[in-house]
Amino acid sequence: MERTTDNRFVWLNGHVVPLQDARLHVLTPTAQFGANVFEGIRCYWSAVDSQLYAFRLEDHYARLLTSMKGMRMEGSWTVEELRQALVDVVKANGYREDIAVRQTVYLDGFGSWSDTGPLGMWVAPIPKKRMDSTDLQGLSAGISSWIRISERNLSPKIKLGANYMNSRMALLDARERGFDTALFLNEQGSVSEGVGANLCMVRGQQLITPPNTASVLEGITRNTLLQLATELGIAEVHMRDIQPAELQEADEVFLCGSAVELTPLLSIDGRRVGSGKTGPVTQSLHTAYLQVVSGEMPAYRSWLTPIY
Ligand code: PMP
C-alpha cells in the first residue's frame, strides 16, 4: 500500500501511532528553541535478498548518544531500544523500498532551553529513492559568507536541530545568488562542509577531505567512503585542511551524507570543477557505496541491519 501523510506511522515515546496523532506541546523546548538531537538514517531495499537493510545503525546511535551527552540531555535509551523503535515503525509501515528515517530525541515538558529533561523520542520513516549511479545529478555550489559554527559557539559535532539555522542562512543566500547549494568555510578560512553534508575533493589519485577539527560533523558516509576508497584501491585518502582556492584546481568535488549519498559539485562560485561532469572517482565510489548499502558486498555486511 502506498503511504501518504494520511496513513503513515510514526514511533512516539514507545507507541507506533498514525502521523496525525504524533503531537508535541507548543511549549516544549524542542518546539520553542530547536532543543533536539537527531539522526538521518537510510535503509536500502535489496530485491535480490528480498530484505530492507538499515545502514550503520550502531554508528548512528553512537553519534546520537554523544549528541545527547554534549547537550546535557539526561536520561537515555539503550542502543537496543533505539534500534527496536526504528525496526518497529518501519515494519508497521510495511516499507519494501528505499527509505530515510529521522530519529529525534527532544526536550519535552513545558520548560526552558536550559532544562536537561524530560526527554522524548520520535522515529519517522519516509520513502526516499537511492540516486541513479549511471546518471548522477550534479549541483552548483556557492561559497557562503556565513561561517560554519565552531566548537567555540555551537559544536558542529553535535547533530542539534538548532545547528541547522546556520545551514539555513547559507542555503537560502546561495539560492538567492542562483546556486543550488552552499559550501561553508570555518573560522580559520578553510573549507568546512556543505549544508547537511561533508565535502571531499579529488586531485589525481588523491581523495582529500577536511579533518575533524575543521568544524565538520563527523559524517558516517564520509567515513564509509574513505574506508572504501582505501580498501577497494579507488583513491589514496588524505584528511587535511583545504583552502578555498584549491577547490578551483580540483579534478572532482562532491558532497557526501546519508541524505545526499554522493552528490557531485559541477561548479563552485560559477567556475567549472574539473571537466564539469561527474568524475571517475566520484562515479566509482557511488557505485561501490550502493553495492555496500544494499548488501552486494559481503565484506561490508556487518554494517547492515536487516529489518525483516
Ligand atoms: N554534516 C552535516 C551538518 C550533516 O547534517 C550531515 C548529515 N547527517 C553530514 C555532514 C553527513 O553525515 P552522515 O554521513 O553521517 O549523514
Side-chain angles (χ1 to χ4, degrees):
M1 184 188 12
E2 198 190 330
R3 298 212 169 266
T4 65
T5 40
D6 293 331
N7 64 3
R8 279 169 60 197
F9 291 105
V10 167
W11 188 102
L12 177 66
N13 296 327
H15 303 282
V16 172
V17 295
L19 175 62
Q20 314 295 354
D21 298 339
R23 297 191 181 170
L24 306 185
H25 197 284
V26 291
L27 293 184
T28 53
T30 186
Q32 293 196 73
F33 311 109
N36 61 69
V37 294
F38 68 98
E39 287 296 315
I41 300 166
R42 294 297 288 273
C43 305
Y44 289 89
W45 176 249
S46 163
V48 179
D49 299 348
S50 201
Q51 182 57 270
L52 185 63
Y53 291 116
F55 189 56
R56 297 194 70 168
L57 272 191
E58 306 233 312
D59 299 289
H60 280 288
Y61 293 146
R63 189 169 66 189
L64 185 65
L65 294 172
T66 304
S67 292
M68 287 168 61
K69 189 167 173 219
M71 291 315 294
R72 319 285 193 273
M73 289 178 166
E74 285 172 7
S76 192
W77 292 268
T78 63
V79 169
E80 182 47 33
E81 286 165 340
L82 296 172
R83 195 187 62 82
Q84 196 61 51
L86 179 139
V87 170
D88 287 350
V89 70
V90 173
K91 277 187 177 162
N93 284 282
Y95 288 129
R96 298 172 79 81
E97 62 192 300
D98 297 344
I99 59 170
V101 186
R102 176 62 47 87
Q103 189 152 359
T104 298
V105 170
Y106 63 91
L107 264 181
D108 206 349
F110 293 84
S112 135
W113 40 262
S114 59
D115 288 352
T116 53
L119 300 184
M121 176 164 65
W122 52 265
V123 192
I126 49 160
K128 184 173 168 74
K129 288 188 178 36
R130 69 193 73 184
M131 272 205 256
D132 180 355
S133 259
T134 60
D135 184 25
L136 279 183
Q137 298 299 312
L139 301 179
S140 64
I143 296 181
S144 185
S145 55
W146 293 95
I147 297 299
R148 186 64 181 142
I149 50 172
S150 78
E151 306 281 359
R152 295 193 294 176
N153 40 65
L154 266 182
S155 173
K157 300 213 160 15
I158 295 174
K159 233 173 127 55
L160 170 71
N163 283 2
Y164 287 78
M165 294 306 103
N166 176 229
S167 310
R168 172 186 170 88
M169 301 314 290
L171 179 60
L172 295 185
D173 263 11
R175 286 187 183 152
E176 277 166 20
R177 292 191 294 142
F179 301 116
D180 298 319
T181 192
L183 297 181
F184 274 119
L185 304 184
N186 59 28
E187 285 178 348
Q188 288 70 41
S190 304
V191 176
S192 172
E193 61 182 339
V195 288
N198 291 116
L199 176 135
C200 292
M201 158 178 114
V202 178
R203 274 200 84 175
Q205 278 315 298
Q206 296 192 342
L207 178 66
I208 306 159
T209 190
N212 293 342
T213 47
S215 290
V216 298
L217 183 79
E218 294 177 20
I220 292 166
T221 316
R222 162 173 166 268
N223 174 285
T224 302
L225 296 176
L226 297 185
Q227 192 171 332
L228 292 181
T230 307
E231 292 178 4
L232 304 178
I234 295 172
E236 198 184 287
V237 166
H238 296 269
M239 259 197 194
R240 65 157 175 85
D241 282 316
I242 296 175
Q243 296 313 308
E246 288 187 87
L247 295 176
Q248 310 296 346
E249 298 154 13
D251 297 319
E252 303 173 34
V253 178
F254 61 84
L255 296 173
C256 59
S258 301
V260 300
E261 298 171 346
L262 274 79
T263 297
L265 294 183
L266 302 183
S267 72
I268 296 174
D269 278 352
R271 292 190 205 102
R272 200 174 66 184
V273 174
S275 67
K277 301 204 177 77
T278 302
V281 172
T282 309
Q283 187 68 63
S284 305
L285 279 172
H286 193 266
T287 304
Y289 183 72
L290 284 192
Q291 286 171 342
V292 167
V293 297
S294 51
E296 289 162 29
M297 283 216 203
Y300 300 100
R301 282 249 173 179
S302 62
W303 278 338
L304 310 182
T305 303
I307 298 290
Y308 294 105

Short mmCIF file of all heavy atoms in Angstrom, two decimals, residues 60 63 148 159 164 193 196-198 217 219-222 256-258, ligand 1:
data_model
loop_
_atom_site.label_atom_id
_atom_site.label_comp_id
_atom_site.label_asym_id
_atom_site.label_seq_id
_atom_site.Cartn_x
_atom_site.Cartn_y
_atom_site.Cartn_z
N HIS A 60 25.25 5.37 13.90
CA HIS A 60 24.27 6.46 14.08
C HIS A 60 23.89 6.59 15.56
O HIS A 60 23.79 7.70 16.09
CB HIS A 60 23.02 6.20 13.24
CG HIS A 60 23.20 6.58 11.80
ND1 HIS A 60 23.27 7.89 11.37
CD2 HIS A 60 23.37 5.83 10.69
CE1 HIS A 60 23.44 7.93 10.06
NE2 HIS A 60 23.51 6.69 9.62
N ARG A 63 26.57 8.16 17.67
CA ARG A 63 26.61 9.61 17.50
C ARG A 63 25.43 10.28 18.18
O ARG A 63 25.56 11.35 18.78
CB ARG A 63 26.64 9.95 16.00
CG ARG A 63 26.91 11.42 15.73
CD ARG A 63 27.21 11.70 14.28
NE ARG A 63 26.06 11.46 13.43
CZ ARG A 63 26.10 11.47 12.10
NH1 ARG A 63 27.24 11.70 11.47
NH2 ARG A 63 25.03 11.26 11.38
N ARG A 148 30.80 28.53 9.12
CA ARG A 148 30.26 27.37 9.84
C ARG A 148 30.45 27.56 11.34
O ARG A 148 31.50 28.05 11.78
CB ARG A 148 30.98 26.09 9.37
CG ARG A 148 30.39 24.79 9.96
CD ARG A 148 28.98 24.57 9.50
NE ARG A 148 28.36 23.38 10.04
CZ ARG A 148 27.06 23.31 10.42
NH1 ARG A 148 26.27 24.37 10.32
NH2 ARG A 148 26.56 22.19 10.85
N LYS A 159 24.70 16.76 16.44
CA LYS A 159 23.64 16.90 15.43
C LYS A 159 22.41 17.48 16.12
O LYS A 159 21.46 16.77 16.45
CB LYS A 159 23.34 15.53 14.79
CG LYS A 159 23.41 15.60 13.29
CD LYS A 159 23.31 14.27 12.64
CE LYS A 159 22.22 14.23 11.59
NZ LYS A 159 22.29 15.23 10.54
N TYR A 164 21.05 23.75 12.51
CA TYR A 164 20.66 23.84 11.10
C TYR A 164 20.17 25.23 10.72
O TYR A 164 19.96 25.51 9.54
CB TYR A 164 19.66 22.73 10.76
CG TYR A 164 20.42 21.42 10.73
CD1 TYR A 164 20.76 20.78 11.92
CD2 TYR A 164 20.92 20.89 9.56
CE1 TYR A 164 21.54 19.64 11.94
CE2 TYR A 164 21.70 19.75 9.55
CZ TYR A 164 22.01 19.14 10.74
OH TYR A 164 22.81 18.02 10.74
N GLU A 193 32.37 22.27 5.33
CA GLU A 193 31.46 21.25 4.79
C GLU A 193 30.33 21.94 4.04
O GLU A 193 30.31 23.16 3.90
CB GLU A 193 30.92 20.35 5.91
CG GLU A 193 30.14 21.08 6.97
CD GLU A 193 29.65 20.16 8.11
OE1 GLU A 193 29.56 18.93 7.94
OE2 GLU A 193 29.33 20.71 9.18
N GLY A 196 24.50 20.25 5.58
CA GLY A 196 23.93 18.92 5.79
C GLY A 196 24.68 17.83 5.07
O GLY A 196 24.13 16.74 4.86
N ALA A 197 25.93 18.08 4.73
CA ALA A 197 26.75 17.05 4.06
C ALA A 197 28.22 17.41 4.19
O ALA A 197 28.57 18.59 4.27
CB ALA A 197 26.37 16.96 2.59
N ASN A 198 29.07 16.41 4.19
CA ASN A 198 30.52 16.64 4.19
C ASN A 198 31.01 16.87 2.76
O ASN A 198 30.28 16.63 1.80
CB ASN A 198 31.26 15.44 4.80
CG ASN A 198 31.02 15.32 6.29
OD1 ASN A 198 30.45 14.34 6.75
ND2 ASN A 198 31.46 16.30 7.05
N LEU A 217 30.74 17.97 10.91
CA LEU A 217 30.13 16.82 11.57
C LEU A 217 30.93 15.60 11.09
O LEU A 217 31.28 15.51 9.91
CB LEU A 217 28.66 16.67 11.14
CG LEU A 217 27.92 15.54 11.85
CD1 LEU A 217 27.51 15.97 13.25
CD2 LEU A 217 26.67 15.12 11.08
N GLY A 219 30.91 12.72 9.64
CA GLY A 219 29.89 12.02 8.87
C GLY A 219 30.18 10.52 8.72
O GLY A 219 31.32 10.10 8.56
N ILE A 220 29.11 9.77 8.77
CA ILE A 220 29.21 8.31 8.65
C ILE A 220 29.43 7.93 7.18
O ILE A 220 30.16 7.00 6.86
CB ILE A 220 27.95 7.66 9.26
CG1 ILE A 220 27.98 7.91 10.78
CG2 ILE A 220 27.86 6.17 8.94
CD1 ILE A 220 26.69 7.64 11.50
N THR A 221 28.84 8.69 6.28
CA THR A 221 29.05 8.43 4.85
C THR A 221 30.50 8.73 4.48
O THR A 221 31.15 7.94 3.78
CB THR A 221 28.10 9.31 4.00
OG1 THR A 221 26.82 9.28 4.60
CG2 THR A 221 28.03 8.83 2.57
N ARG A 222 31.00 9.87 4.94
CA ARG A 222 32.39 10.25 4.66
C ARG A 222 33.33 9.16 5.17
O ARG A 222 34.23 8.70 4.46
CB ARG A 222 32.66 11.59 5.36
CG ARG A 222 34.11 12.00 5.59
CD ARG A 222 34.06 13.41 6.12
NE ARG A 222 35.26 13.96 6.72
CZ ARG A 222 35.55 13.89 8.02
NH1 ARG A 222 34.78 13.22 8.85
NH2 ARG A 222 36.63 14.48 8.48
N CYS A 256 28.94 14.50 0.49
CA CYS A 256 28.53 13.15 0.89
C CYS A 256 27.81 13.20 2.23
O CYS A 256 28.15 13.98 3.12
CB CYS A 256 29.73 12.21 0.94
SG CYS A 256 31.04 12.69 2.05
N GLY A 257 26.80 12.37 2.34
CA GLY A 257 26.00 12.30 3.55
C GLY A 257 24.91 11.27 3.36
O GLY A 257 24.64 10.85 2.23
N SER A 258 24.27 10.88 4.46
CA SER A 258 23.23 9.86 4.37
C SER A 258 22.15 10.29 3.39
O SER A 258 21.63 9.47 2.63
CB SER A 258 22.59 9.63 5.74
OG SER A 258 23.58 9.24 6.66
N1 PMP B 1 27.38 17.42 8.01
C1 PMP B 1 26.17 17.81 8.43
C2 PMP B 1 25.99 19.17 9.00
C3 PMP B 1 25.07 16.94 8.32
O1 PMP B 1 23.85 17.32 8.73
C4 PMP B 1 25.27 15.65 7.76
C5 PMP B 1 24.10 14.71 7.61
N2 PMP B 1 23.88 13.97 8.78
C6 PMP B 1 26.56 15.29 7.35
C7 PMP B 1 27.59 16.20 7.50
C8 PMP B 1 26.83 13.91 6.83
O2 PMP B 1 26.72 12.98 7.86
P1 PMP B 1 26.28 11.47 7.61
O3 PMP B 1 27.14 10.96 6.52
O4 PMP B 1 26.55 10.80 8.89
O5 PMP B 1 24.86 11.50 7.22
#
